[in-house]
């Protein structure tokens, strides 16, 4: 009976899931889309995914606060390493270095799409939780652990290249049909924070879970609204300001 209920729940949930997935994928794959390599302060760069790139509001607030502009390599759909929707964060960094290797400070995120993109499709790693599955699977944890290794490798590379400071922004809880990714967000942020601790780079992790609420997320349940972007920028700015 439990198996039958499980199947029925999946059948009833499928239309909503497919609709939400289509919306989320369209937003992940679009928006932003190009590097901004001309800047008043080119030794500061931003790397990452659509949390930064879709609206560009986080960078805009940081530019406003600092009175200057930074190079921007963030791309919607970017995974930390690999992926087919956009240039991954690892390559964003390589491209930034190729343009101008004098990089002193990096504001970034990365790793969220490595979990989110499969989860909004068929969830093969079982990163979602339900009433019948109260925790993320070992496969999901292994996926996050692999992302952790990629993150440490990238941060160590940055340090060897002479980058002096990295500000790594984590992820907040998604809402609506994406709200059952909360435990994946918790584990992902834990491991990203560990990556910051276990690298040779000077890395500070910024955690937005405590400040972002439902009203700070747009209708897709994933990306920050203007208020959400401002809250994230306000977490980053006290760390960034003394580095400028």
């Amino acid at each position: 009976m439990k198996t039958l209920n499980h199947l029925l729940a999946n059948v009833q949930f499928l239309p909503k899931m497919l609709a939400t997935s289509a919306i989320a994928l369209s937003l992940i794959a679009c928006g932003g889309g190009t590097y901004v390599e001309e800047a008043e302060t080119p030794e500061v760069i931003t790397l990452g995914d659509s949390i930064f790139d879709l609206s560009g509001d986080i960078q805009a607030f940081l530019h406003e606060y600092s009175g200057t502009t930074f190079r921007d390599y963030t791309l919607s759909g970017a995974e930390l390493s690999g992926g087919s929707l956009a240039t991954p964060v690892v390559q964003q960094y390589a491209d930034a270095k190729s343009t101008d290797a004098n990089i002193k400070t990096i504001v970034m995120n990365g790793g969220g799409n490595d979990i989110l993109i499969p989860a909004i499709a068929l969830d093969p790693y079982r990163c979602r939780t339900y009433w019948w599955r109260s925790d993320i699977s070992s496969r999901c944890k292994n996926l996050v652990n692999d992302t952790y290794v990629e993150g440490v490798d990238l941060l160590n590379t940055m340090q060897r290249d002479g980058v002096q400071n990295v500000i790594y922004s984590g992820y907040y809880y998604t809402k609506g049909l994406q709200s059952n990714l909360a435990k994946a967000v918790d584990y992902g942020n834990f491991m990203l924070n560990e990556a910051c601790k276990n690298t040779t780079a000077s890395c500070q992790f910024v955690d937005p879970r405590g400040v972002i609420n439902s009203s700070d997320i747009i209708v897709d349940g994933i990306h920050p609204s203007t208020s959400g972007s401002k809250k994230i920028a306000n977490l980053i700015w006290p760390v960034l300001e003394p580095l400028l």
Side-chain angles (χ1 to χ4, degrees):
M1 181 63 70
K2 182 176 180 180
T3 300
L4 178 60
N5 288 338
H6 186 169
L7 291 173
L8 288 173
N10 277 341
V11 169
Q12 294 168 0
F13 188 65
L14 186 59
K16 291 183 180 179
M17 186 65 174
L18 289 175
T20 302
S21 296
I23 294 170
L25 279 172
S26 68
L27 287 171
I28 291 169
C30 303
T34 58
Y35 293 162
V36 179
E37 299 195 295
E38 296 293 328
E40 295 165 350
T41 308
E43 65 271 21
V44 179
I45 68 170
T46 55
L47 308 172
D49 57 37
S50 56
I51 301 299
F52 279 78
D53 183 60
L54 190 67
S55 68
D57 284 345
I58 296 173
Q59 293 95 316
F61 283 119
L62 294 175
H63 293 165
E64 177 186 342
Y65 298 160
S66 64
T68 189
T69 58
F70 317 127
R71 287 191 282 158
D72 176 18
Y73 294 85
T74 60
L75 293 173
S76 295
E79 297 180 30
L80 190 61
S81 176
S84 59
L85 291 179
T87 303
V89 176
V90 169
Q91 186 60 46
Q92 292 172 18
Y93 172 65
D95 292 342
K97 188 171 61 173
S98 177
T99 297
D100 184 349
N102 181 30
I103 301 171
K104 300 302 182 186
T105 298
I106 296 175
V107 178
M108 66 178 291
N109 75 346
N113 279 334
D114 301 63
I115 289 85
L116 177 65
I117 290 173
I120 64 174
L122 299 174
D123 195 25
Y125 299 99
R126 298 182 180 177
C127 289
R128 294 182 180 274
T129 58
Y130 301 96
W131 62 266
W132 67 83
R133 185 173 71 236
S134 61
D135 200 2
I136 59 177
S137 72
S138 59
R139 291 190 68 197
C140 182
K141 290 180 180 179
N142 287 338
L143 176 64
V144 175
N145 293 344
D146 288 344
T147 304
Y148 159 83
V149 172
E150 293 165 353
V152 172
D153 287 345
L154 175 58
L155 292 168
N156 288 344
T157 297
M158 291 172 174
Q159 188 274 332
R160 289 193 297 269
D161 291 340
V163 175
Q164 296 175 0
N165 299 282
V166 178
I167 303 169
Y168 206 123
S169 180
Y171 294 88
Y172 47 82
Y173 298 123
T174 45
K175 72 176 183 179
L177 291 179
Q178 312 306 325
S179 61
N180 60 356
L181 290 168
K183 289 192 176 181
V185 171
D186 285 339
Y187 189 66
N189 272 5
F190 172 76
M191 293 306 293
L192 289 176
N193 191 21
E194 288 296 297
C196 253
K197 293 177 180 178
N198 295 319
T199 175
T200 55
S202 175
C203 179
Q204 183 158 336
F205 183 74
V206 173
D207 189 344
R209 283 175 295 177
V211 300
I212 299 296
N213 55 49
S214 293
S215 65
D216 298 316
I217 303 171
I218 63 175
V219 68
D220 68 355
I222 299 168
H223 298 97
S225 63
T226 300
S227 65
S229 294
K230 187 170 187 178
K231 286 181 177 181
I232 295 170
N234 288 348
L235 288 176
I236 294 170
W237 177 240
V239 185
L240 178 61
E241 182 179 18
L243 305 177
L244 299 177

